């Protein structure tokens, strides 16, 4: 990568920064590491992309996968199935990436807003009805807990039988999405 191709260099730097921030969190990433991953020098990284914080804000996108195209009554199991399928394939776990971006972020509020906009808002929009936002937040929290248990803590019983996890956890998430009777009296801010 050379300074003769500024748009290609910029794209390589942004891609490298996005990968490193998602994997390691803000404090662990250095301009030198971004440069090495992008195949350039730290000086050129700073020239084409700015400071580490500017790079973080530009590249720390929290983009949820599209919601499954299933009836609302089947959305919980479908969301759990997709999360477990990513686990089975060893693919990037989007919720785990969101956690890593939030850890020691230079602007935690901005990451929080990206998370809410990327995960909770689309789900609340699909749900509609009473307490859609609360129901969406609860379902996302349940999925986040599952993703964390599988990816970060590698809890042995869950990891050992993903089919059983899918059978048990899908209905739980669906109950949260539907607004179980437990939520009827809930009045959270």
């Amino acid at each position: 990568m050379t300074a003769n191709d500024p748009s290609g260099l910029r794209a390589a730097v942004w891609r490298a920064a996005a990968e490193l921030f998602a994997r390691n969190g803000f404090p662990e990433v250095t301009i030198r590491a971004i440069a090495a991953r992008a195949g350039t020098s730290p000086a050129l990284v700073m020239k084409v992309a700015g400071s580490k914080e500017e790079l973080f804000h530009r590249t720390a996108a929290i983009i949820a996968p599209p919601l499954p195209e299933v009836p609302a009554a089947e959305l919980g199991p479908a969301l759990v199935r997709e999360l477990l399928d990513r686990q089975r394939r060893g693919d990037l776990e989007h919720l785990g990436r969101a956690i890593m971006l939030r850890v020691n972020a230079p602007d935690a509020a901005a990451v929080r807003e990206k998370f809410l906009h990327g995960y909770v808002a689309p789900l609340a929009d699909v749900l509609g009805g009473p307490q859609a936002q609360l129901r969406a937040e609860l379902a996302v929290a349940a999925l986040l807990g599952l993703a964390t248990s599988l990816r970060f803590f590698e809890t042995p019983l869950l990891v050992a039988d993903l089919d059983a996890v899918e059978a048990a956890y899908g209905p739980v998430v669906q109950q949260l999405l539907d607004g179980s009777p437990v939520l009827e009296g809930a009045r959270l801010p």
Side-chain angles (χ1 to χ4, degrees):
M1 202 59 50
T2 68
N4 296 335
D5 179 16
S7 63
L9 175 59
R10 189 175 295 111
V13 167
W14 289 345
R15 189 171 38 257
E19 291 169 6
L20 290 171
F21 286 132
R23 186 177 331 119
N24 303 323
F26 182 79
E28 302 303 318
V29 176
T30 64
I31 292 292
R32 189 175 306 278
I34 293 168
R37 184 145 189 115
T40 191
S41 71
L44 280 176
V45 168
M46 300 292 288
K47 181 177 180 178
V48 301
S51 70
K52 177 177 154 181
E53 189 167 333
E54 289 170 317
L55 268 168
F56 180 84
H57 286 297
R58 176 170 293 282
T59 63
I62 295 177
I63 302 169
L67 291 172
E69 293 185 24
V70 298
E74 299 171 18
L75 191 53
L79 289 168
V80 170
R81 186 174 319 105
E82 286 187 349
L83 187 152
L84 294 174
D85 285 346
R86 289 190 297 274
Q87 174 76 18
R88 288 177 180 107
R89 292 186 306 263
D91 290 350
L92 169 73
E93 177 47 58
H94 303 278
L95 288 164
R97 182 176 189 273
I99 291 170
M100 288 308 298
L101 289 173
R102 170 60 181 85
V103 173
N104 298 313
D107 183 355
V111 175
R112 178 181 158 286
E113 287 307 311
K114 289 179 181 186
F115 177 77
L116 293 173
H117 179 74
Y119 281 91
V120 176
L123 191 52
D125 289 346
V126 166
L127 295 176
Q131 297 184 307
Q133 181 76 19
L134 174 59
R135 293 174 12 237
E137 285 185 21
L138 287 168
V140 169
L143 293 167
L144 188 59
L146 179 58
T148 302
S149 292
L150 290 170
R151 292 294 176 112
F152 292 111
F153 295 107
E154 298 173 335
T155 52
L157 295 178
L158 294 182
V159 171
D161 194 350
L162 296 179
D163 291 335
V165 172
E166 184 176 334
Y169 215 75
V172 170
V173 173
Q174 187 63 48
Q175 189 175 18
L176 294 170
L177 292 171
D178 292 342
S180 75
V182 173
L183 292 180
E184 287 177 11
R187 294 284 181 244
L188 300 177

